[in-house]
Each structure stands twice: as structure tokens, then as C-alpha cells.
């Protein structure tokens, strides 16, 4: 217990304590200024890492939130004669609000389009700060006097301690957030946005909330920046700085608080690096050694290609040679940053922390805390009474892709408590049909009702809210998460603590409960022993079962299984049949798409057969097997009746 505490919190406390103690011994104002900046950039980069690291999006607008926060704080002080706390609160709020406003449209976009949207926002902000002269003073700049803090004027060291305390708070809050459902959701949505939505977690709203939070931290850092420099100029928040911030996050290591801290150290040191020749040479020499070491190691382990190993060495070599030749490194700053960023992106994509984490984890190996005992299944998946009434009704459903009539007028009725088989040759429209039902596609036409209520269309999220859960023919597990976390992320109604309280660490109780619940579902599917195993390391069969456990976490009324036995060996198929029986015994209605006819015969009461997007037969397994149209449809394919067809 104590060892755990020392190992997990010790390094943080040691570094913070060390930083906090420095002003007691060092009075040099320049050094103190650098330390203050370190704390401010620490907050800024933790905020940037939320989008760049955890959401995996290229965010080029963070510098704009720094600027907006700085001007918000500055204007509160100058125009409203507001105090210290008020100005910082205003800076944070402005970051939050503008971050939210940008996130709503921008996060509908992906990849390069998102990057461009954020770049436009940064440009727009810089221009506005410059041109709104009446408000901001334009290029003239804005001078402010630092208001007293709680009635006391702050000395340089006092201001530093305040910044450091805020940095420590942000660090702690972020750690709490990442250890909660929020952190799991971030990781899940990077691995599979589709499954994140289908599990009712909501990719988009998590992204928007995270972006707004990151921007709020940018705003807070901006407020501190303003109160630190006391003079604001629009050109401080330029594209140059954005590149340096990205360099900081990427070099330090994405998705890591320590990485953000290392990045902040780098950003603070960069100007000195450029003005001090010796420092520059030491740094670029170290960079060259690191590039050579990690490149060689990667080549030996065959994890990097020759280009990946060589390019950073060449880039760093250029820096070393350039450092000897060039008169004034300041003139080359952009080229230097570019070379550094390039080297890191190519040669050390996980950053210094990613690189060090493996070594450190061996050194400080920690068993994860013991899991609570599994909850009772009656609690996690309460048995439903199934009365045989109609649950899902599809009326003349059509889904066309251009000229392809994937689903062409399907009507179907699934009764409550049934295991309803859905079979048909390859390409007959089975997956498309369930994709429409589960909200992945918006149907071309037709009607879908669940218990008489119209099902929403085209939204996995909203259909999930109706009590429909599903697995995917092409696995959509959250590969980076453990088996337990895969199930935990989907648990319905398990997380009620609002985000501000989560930041304060108030979600631990519900986390423990969620672990117990998820464990019960893993045990139901025979994966209890694999709870801590990363999903990507599970066998293929176990991954398929994990998807079922995860879908059950939704406590679904209707569970759709799209070829759960595909690719499974015979013993695993038998296990699966047993598990499906157990699920059915809890009153969960299922649609089972399956190629193995013996599985279908064993489990299903009713079977619908599709061919060419149309229903060609429906009835008991025995009836459809004998149906002439079914026999005809399967001619040329593997035989429908009897033995298992191809996977
Ligand atoms: P099944 O699951 O029964 O094997 P699918 O539903 O995957 O069949 O496919 C039915 C038909 O629809 C196929 O011809 C397939 O090529 C087509 N199809 C499926 N999804 C799409 C899509 N997103 N865009 C275009 N065509 C598609
Ligand atoms: Mg399919």
C-alpha cells in the first residue's frame, strides 16, 4: 500500500516539492521567471495534450486560447478593474466558451479538415486581437498592472508559487479525469468511434467536452501569462508559438502528464537554447545520440524501417553541424524547430515519456490494485420477463447504396425473448439490415419500431439509448483497453458523477462498483481470468466473446450478434452456443446472424432468410432448411442444410 503510494505519487510530489523549494535558495529574477513560465506552459501543454494526445486530433488552435485567455484577463483588469481571481476565472471561462463554440462544428470534421478548421480559428483570433484596436489596443499592445491576490500584492516568488499550485491542481484533476470513465472513453473513441457510439458512450460529445476542457486550460494558462508578463501583444500568439507547443507535446510524449511537463521544460528552455551556443551544442549532441540509439534499437528489434531510423539521425546531425557553422542560431530558429519536430515525429513518435515509460515500468513494476469480487448477475443483467409479444418490427425497410439494393423491402417481426436467426448467402444484406436497425445507416425508406415506438434512424448513439446493443462482424473492440475496461466503458447508467466532481476525484466509488459489474459479465462469457489482459492480446475467439460481454454491459433489451462464430474453432463455437443460451435465459431478445446452420438450428426458434436484400423464407429452422427458395439461394454457395457453411 505504502509502496504503491510512494511509487505512484512519489515522483510527482518530489518534483513539485523541488520546484517549490527553488525560490527559497535562488533569488535570481531571471531563473524565477523561467520557473514561472514552466508552470504556465505546464498547464497549457496538459490542455493541448487533451486534444492532440487523448483525442488524437491535430489541434492548431491552442495558441489562440492562450491569447484569448491572456486578453480576457488583461481586459478584466484594465477595463473592469477586476481582481486577480476574477481575471483568471474570466480567462478560463473564455477558453471554455470559445473552445466549446469551435468544437461543435469543428469536431464534426475529421483529420486534415479538423486541423484546417482549428488553423482558421487561430488565424481569425490573431487578426481579431490585432484589429479590434478600441478593445485590445491592437499592435500597440496592452499594459496591465498585476492586481493583488486576496488583498496582498504578490512578489515574484509568490506569483510563481501560485502558478505552481495551479499546475499541481490541474495535474491532479487531469489524473482523476483520466482514471475515470472519461479517460476510458477517450481511449475507446480513438480505437473505434463506431463502437463507442454503439455502446451509447457518445464519441462526439466526449470529444466536444474534452476539447472545451483543453481550451479552458489554454485560457487559464493565458490568464497567468498575462498576469506574468503584464504586457500583451497580439503577435505573441502566433503560428510560431503553436509549432513550439506541438513540439513540446510530441517530444515530451503524448497522453502523459509527465510528457506535458517535459514538453513545458523544453518550451521554456528553447529561447535559451537558441541564444546560448554551448547549450545548443550540448542539446543537439544529446538529440543526435538519442536518435542514433533509438534508431539502432528499432532496427535491431525490427520495429522501425531504415528511413525511420536514419532520417532523425540526419536531421539531428544537421543541427550539430549547423550549430558549429552558423553565426547566429536565432536567425535559424524556424528551421531548427522544423528539424526537431520532424525528428521527433519520425524517430520518436511516442515521445521521450513513451520511450522512457517502458524502461520505467520494468523498474517500478506495480501490480494493479486487486479487483473487487464480481457483482451478482441478477444485479448487472436483471432477468427480463419475456412475454412473446412483438419487440422489433421492421416494415418494408430499404437501404440502397447508389444502385446497390443491399436491403430491398424487408419486413420482419422479432418477438420478445426469442433468438431470431438471420441467415442468407454472402452479400444478401444481413449486415446492412442490422446496420440500419442499430443506427449506423439511415434507411432509404421504411419503418422500424421497438415495442411500438419509432426507432431513431442514423444514430448509433440514440438507438443504443433505446436498449439495442450489438456486436460487429468485423471486430470493433477497443484494442488498447483491457478486457475489463472494454466492458466498463459500455456499462449503462454506471457513471453519474458530473465532470467537475470527477476532476476532484469523487468518482472512485462508482469506479469500484463498475469494476465489479464488468467482472460479472466477463465471467458470464468465460473471460474472468483475462480481465486485465489488453484486448489486443486476447485470442480471436476471446475477442469475439469480449464484444458480447461489452454489449451486455448495455443491459440491452435487444442484442444483435453479427456472425459471432465467424472464424471460431469448433470448441469455441460450442462455448459460444452455451453462452448465448445463458444470455437468452436472462430474457434478452437476440437477432443472431450466423453461417453455421447447426448453431442456428440449435438456438433459434424463428429464422428469416435473406437473399439479394429480400426475405425469401421465414419459419422454424427445419422449415426454412427445406424451403425450395432457400435451397436454390444456397446452390453454388456452401450447403445451407446440415454441416456448417463457410465462416
Ligand atoms: P451480408 O452481411 O449478408 O454478407 P452485406 O449486408 O454486408 O451482406 O452486403 C450486402 C450488399 O450491400 C453487398 O452487395 C455489399 O457489397 C453492399 N454494401 C454493404 N455495405 C455497403 C456500403 N457501405 N456501400 C456500398 N455497398 C455496400
Ligand atoms: Mg455480413
Amino acid at each position: 500500500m505504502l509502496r504503491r503510494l510512494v511509487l505512484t505519487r512519489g515522483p510527482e510530489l518530489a518534483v513539485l516539492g523541488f520546484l517549490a523549494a527553488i525560490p527559497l535558495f535562488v533569488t535570481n529574477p531571471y531563473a524565477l521567471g523561467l520557473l514561472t513560465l514552466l508552470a504556465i506552459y505546464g498547464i497549457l501543454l496538459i490542455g493541448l495534450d487533451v486534444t492532440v494526445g487523448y483525442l488524437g486530433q491535430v489541434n492548431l488552435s491552442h495558441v489562440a486560447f492562450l491569447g484569448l485567455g491572456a486578453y480576457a484577463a488583461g481586459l478584466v483588469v484594465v477595463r473592469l478593474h477586476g481582481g486577480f481571481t476574477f481575471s483568471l476565472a474570466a480567462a478560463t471561462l473564455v477558453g471554455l466558451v470559445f473552445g466549446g463554440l469551435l468544437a461543435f462544428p469543428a469536431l464534426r470534421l475529421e483529420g486534415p479538415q479538423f486541423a484546417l478548421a482549428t488553423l482558421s480559428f487561430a488565424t481569425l483570433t490573431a487578426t481579431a486581437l490585432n484589429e479590434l484596436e478600441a478593445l485590445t489596443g491592437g499592435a500597440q499592445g496592452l499594459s496591465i498592472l498585476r492586481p493583488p491576490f486576496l488583498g496582498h500584492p504578490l512578489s515574484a516568488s509568490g506569483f510563481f508559487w501560485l502558478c505552481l499550485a495551479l499546475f499541481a491542481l490541474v495535474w491532479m484533476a487531469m489524473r482523476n479525469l483520466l482514471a475515470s470513465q472519461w479517460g476510458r472513453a477517450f481511449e475507446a473513441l480513438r480505437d473505434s468511434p463506431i463502437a463507442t457510439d454503439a455502446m451509447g458512450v457518445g464519441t462526439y460529445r466526449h470529444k466536444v467536452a474534452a476539447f472545451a476542457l483543453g481550451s479552458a486550460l489554454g485560457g487559464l494558462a493565458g490568464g497567468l501569462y498575462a498576469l506574468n508578463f503584464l504586457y500583451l501583444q497580439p503577435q505573441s500568439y502566433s503560428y510560431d508559438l503553436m509549432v513550439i507547443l506541438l513540439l513540446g507535446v510530441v517530444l515530451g510524449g503524448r497522453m502523459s502528464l509527465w510528457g506535458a511537463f517535459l514538453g513545458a521544460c523544453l518550451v521554456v528552455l528553447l529561447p535559451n537554447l537558441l541564444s546560448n551556443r554551448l547549450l545548443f551544442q550540448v542539446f543537439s549532441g544529446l538529440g543526435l545520440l538519442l536518435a542514433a540509439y533509438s534508431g539502432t534499437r528499432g532496427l535491431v528489434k525490427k520495429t522501425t524501417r531504415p528511413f525511420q531510423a536514419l532520417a532523425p539521425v540526419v536531421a539531428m546531425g544537421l543541427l550539430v553541424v549547423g550549430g558549429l557553422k552558423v553565426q547566429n542560431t536565432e536567425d535559424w530558429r524556424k528551421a531548427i524547430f522544423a528539424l526537431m519536430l520532424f525528428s521527433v515525429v519520425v524517430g520518436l513518435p511516442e515521445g521521450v515519456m513513451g520511450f522512457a515509460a517502458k524502461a520505467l515500468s520494468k523498474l517500478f513494476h506495480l501490480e494493479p490494485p486487486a479487483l473487487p469480487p464480481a457483482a451478482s448477475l441478477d444485479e448487472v443483467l436483471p432477468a427480463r420477463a419475456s412475454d412473446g409479444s412483438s419487440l422489433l418490427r421492421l416494415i418494408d425497410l430499404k437501404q440502397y447504396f447508389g444502385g446497390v439494393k443491399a436491403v430491398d423491402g424487408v419486413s420482419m417481426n422479432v418477438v420478445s425473448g426469442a433468438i431470431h436467426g438471420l441467415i442468407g448467402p454472402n452479400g444478401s444484406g444481413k449486415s446492412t439490415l442490422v446496420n440500419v436497425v442499430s443506427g449506423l445507416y439511415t434507411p432509404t425508406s421504411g419503418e422500424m419500431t421497438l415495442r411500438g415506438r419509432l426507432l431513431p434512424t442514423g444514430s448509433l448513439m440514440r438507438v443504443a439509448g433505446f436498449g439495442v446493443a450489438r456486436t460487429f462482424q468485423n471486430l470493433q473492440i477497443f484494442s488498447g483497453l483491457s478486457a475489463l475496461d472494454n466492458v466498463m466503458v459500455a456499462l449503462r447508467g454506471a457513471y453519474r458523477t458530473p465532470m467537475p466532481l470527477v476532476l476532484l476525484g469523487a468518482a472512485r466509488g462508482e469506479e469500484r462498483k463498475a469494476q465489479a459489474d464488468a467482472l460479472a459479465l466477463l465471467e458470464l462469457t468465460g473471460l474472468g481470468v483475462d480481465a486485465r489482459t489488453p484486448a489486443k492480446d486476447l485470442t480471436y475467439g476471446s475477442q469475439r466473446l469480449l464484444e458480447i460481454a461489452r454489449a451486455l454491459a448495455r443491459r440491452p433489451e435487444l442484442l444483435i450478434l453479427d456472425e459471432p462464430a465467424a472464424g471460431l474453432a469448433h470448441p469455441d463455437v460450442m462455448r459460444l452456443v452455451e453462452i448465448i443460451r445463458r444470455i437468452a435465459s436472462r430474457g434478452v431478445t437476440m437477432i443472431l446472424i450466423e453461417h453455421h446452420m447447426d448453431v442456428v438450428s440449435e438456438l433459434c426458434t424463428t429464422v428469416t432468410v435473406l437473399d439479394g436484400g429480400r426475405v425469401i423464407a421465414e419459419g422454424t429452422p427445419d422449415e426454412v432448411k427445406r424451403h425450395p427458395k432457400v435451397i436454390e439461394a444456397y446452390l453454388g454457395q456452401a450447403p445451407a442444410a446440415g454441416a456448417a457453411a463457410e465462416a
Side-chain angles (χ1 to χ4, degrees):
M1 186 66 196
L2 188 68
R3 184 178 124 86
R4 162 173 304 282
L5 210 65
V6 169
L7 282 185
T8 51
R9 302 288 173 261
E12 295 164 14
L13 291 177
V15 168
L16 283 173
F18 173 71
L19 288 175
I22 293 179
L24 300 178
F25 307 104
V26 179
T27 46
N28 177 343
Y30 181 70
L32 212 52
L34 287 186
L35 284 175
T36 309
L37 260 186
L38 175 63
I40 297 175
Y41 280 132
I43 297 173
L44 187 66
L45 290 195
I46 287 179
L48 181 59
D49 195 28
V50 174
T51 36
V52 172
Y54 292 97
L55 297 187
Q57 303 273 355
V58 181
N59 173 9
L60 300 176
S61 64
H62 208 54
V63 74
F65 296 107
L66 181 77
L68 287 169
Y71 271 90
L75 290 173
V76 161
V77 172
V78 172
R79 308 253 186 250
L80 305 178
H81 307 293
F84 201 102
T85 325
F86 179 22
S87 62
L88 283 189
T92 313
L93 190 69
V94 163
L96 186 73
V97 170
F98 278 88
L101 286 179
L102 172 62
F104 271 111
L107 282 166
R108 291 269 179 221
L109 308 171
E110 288 292 331
Q113 286 171 309
F114 174 81
L116 282 179
T118 56
L119 180 63
S120 322
F121 181 78
T123 314
L124 190 68
T125 306
T127 314
L129 291 179
N130 204 24
E131 299 302 325
L132 293 175
E133 276 181 35
L135 188 68
T136 65
Q140 292 281 314
L142 185 73
S143 290
I144 56 180
L145 286 175
R146 188 190 297 156
F149 178 63
L150 303 178
H152 302 283
L154 281 180
S155 64
S157 44
F159 185 70
F160 161 66
W161 280 321
L162 184 90
C163 291
L164 190 67
L166 284 173
F167 172 63
L169 275 180
V170 166
W171 178 298
M172 260 166 32
M174 215 53 203
R175 207 183 44 208
N176 289 334
L177 189 79
L178 295 172
S180 76
Q181 166 75 353
W182 284 89
R184 268 194 303 278
F186 294 161
E187 216 162 314
L189 66 85
R190 276 201 323 274
D191 277 341
S192 169
I194 290 184
T196 307
D197 278 336
M199 293 303 122
V201 179
T203 301
Y204 177 65
R205 72 187 167 142
H206 276 87
K207 280 199 213 168
V208 170
F211 189 94
L213 177 74
S215 307
L217 291 181
L220 172 63
L224 292 171
Y225 196 83
L227 296 176
N228 181 49
F229 288 112
L230 302 175
Y231 177 65
L232 305 178
Q233 266 191 312
Q235 58 267 37
S236 312
Y237 315 100
S238 66
Y239 192 65
D240 273 18
L241 181 59
M242 191 62 229
V243 174
I244 297 176
L245 297 182
L246 282 175
L247 177 64
V249 167
V250 181
L251 180 70
R254 277 167 296 163
M255 290 184 281
S256 155
L257 295 167
W258 281 104
F261 176 73
L262 280 182
C265 294
L266 174 85
V267 174
V268 169
L269 285 180
L270 269 180
N272 296 283
L273 198 66
L274 292 178
S275 57
N276 183 326
R277 183 169 279 271
L278 182 67
L279 200 62
F280 182 78
Q281 272 154 9
V282 169
F283 186 87
S284 47
L286 280 177
L288 181 61
L289 284 180
L290 185 64
Y293 173 68
S294 88
T296 322
R297 210 179 69 142
L299 281 181
V300 170
K301 289 189 166 180
K302 296 196 167 42
T303 49
T304 39
R305 284 163 287 147
F307 161 76
Q308 261 175 309
L310 200 60
V313 175
V314 172
M316 281 295 151
L318 275 177
L319 278 195
V320 172
V321 176
L324 296 171
K325 295 264 179 229
V326 169
Q327 279 302 318
N328 188 353
T329 33
E330 293 266 7
D331 298 342
W332 290 82
R333 49 182 289 148
K334 283 187 193 171
I336 292 169
F337 296 159
L339 278 176
M340 285 163 63
L341 192 56
F342 171 78
S343 310
V344 176
V345 169
V346 176
L348 210 59
E350 305 291 315
V352 174
M353 268 323 285
F355 190 69
K358 284 179 200 129
L360 288 177
S361 72
K362 276 195 202 112
L363 208 57
F364 297 105
H365 181 66
L366 263 187
E367 288 297 324
L371 291 174
S376 108
L377 209 50
D378 288 325
E379 214 177 300
V380 185
L381 198 64
R384 285 174 190 278
S386 46
D387 51 7
S389 62
S390 168
L391 179 67
L392 175 77
R393 197 184 284 278
L394 309 179
I395 303 167
D396 199 20
L397 203 63
K398 292 184 180 153
Q399 175 69 53
Y400 296 169
F401 299 108
V404 181
K405 298 179 174 180
V407 173
D408 194 16
V410 169
S411 296
M412 198 171 134
N413 186 23
V414 178
V415 297
S416 143
I419 305 180
H420 192 119
L422 186 60
I423 66 169
N426 271 330
S428 57
K430 306 178 295 292
S431 290
T432 306
L433 183 69
V434 297
N435 283 342
V436 172
V437 171
S438 62
L440 184 61
Y441 302 142
T442 312
T444 311
S445 69
E447 202 178 278
M448 309 185 281
T449 56
L450 191 82
R451 282 225 182 284
R453 290 167 69 203
L454 269 186
L455 261 190
T457 57
S459 163
L460 286 163
M461 229 343 243
R462 287 175 53 214
V463 176
F466 263 62
V468 177
R470 63 168 297 181
T471 65
F472 294 85
Q473 181 175 358
N474 303 317
L475 282 178
Q476 296 279 343
I477 53 165
F478 306 128
S479 50
L481 293 174
S482 69
L484 187 74
D485 282 337
N486 263 272
V487 179
M488 280 177 79
V489 82
L491 278 174
R492 184 178 198 171
Y495 311 101
R496 299 179 185 282
T497 313
M499 195 211 245
L501 292 181
V502 173
L503 291 172
L504 295 174
R508 300 219 176 91
E510 72 183 16
E511 277 290 299
R512 218 60 209 140
K513 171 85 179 68
Q515 283 182 335
D517 288 2
L519 202 53
L521 293 172
L522 283 179
E523 286 180 357
L524 174 72
T525 47
L527 294 173
V529 288
D530 291 318
R532 294 284 194 196
T533 311
K536 60 174 180 296
D537 296 340
L538 292 173
T539 62
Y540 183 74
S542 297
Q543 291 181 345
R544 287 223 164 260
L545 293 176
L546 179 60
E547 274 212 352
I548 298 178
R550 184 180 67 181
L552 288 175
R554 299 289 307 154
R555 244 184 273 130
E557 190 156 18
L558 175 65
L559 173 62
I560 301 173
L561 302 173
D562 193 350
E563 301 209 20
L568 296 196
H570 185 70
D572 285 338
V573 175
M574 292 296 99
R575 253 170 85 199
L576 176 73
V577 169
E578 184 45 40
I579 288 165
I580 294 179
R581 279 226 179 83
R582 261 186 265 166
I583 298 169
S585 74
R586 310 209 64 87
V588 178
T589 312
M590 277 174 269
I591 294 180
L592 174 65
I593 301 183
E594 194 41 72
H595 263 302
H596 297 71
M597 200 54 205
D598 46 351
V599 172
V600 174
S601 300
E602 204 162 324
L603 290 171
C604 302
T605 37
T606 312
V607 180
T608 301
V609 189
L610 293 186
D611 188 28
R614 291 168 172 275
V615 177
I616 55 167
E618 193 167 74
T620 65
D622 278 336
E623 284 166 7
V624 300
K625 259 191 276 186
R626 286 194 304 266
H627 199 289
K629 276 194 181 167
V630 177
I631 294 170
E632 191 192 319
Y634 273 93
L635 275 182
Q637 286 249 334
E646 90 279 18

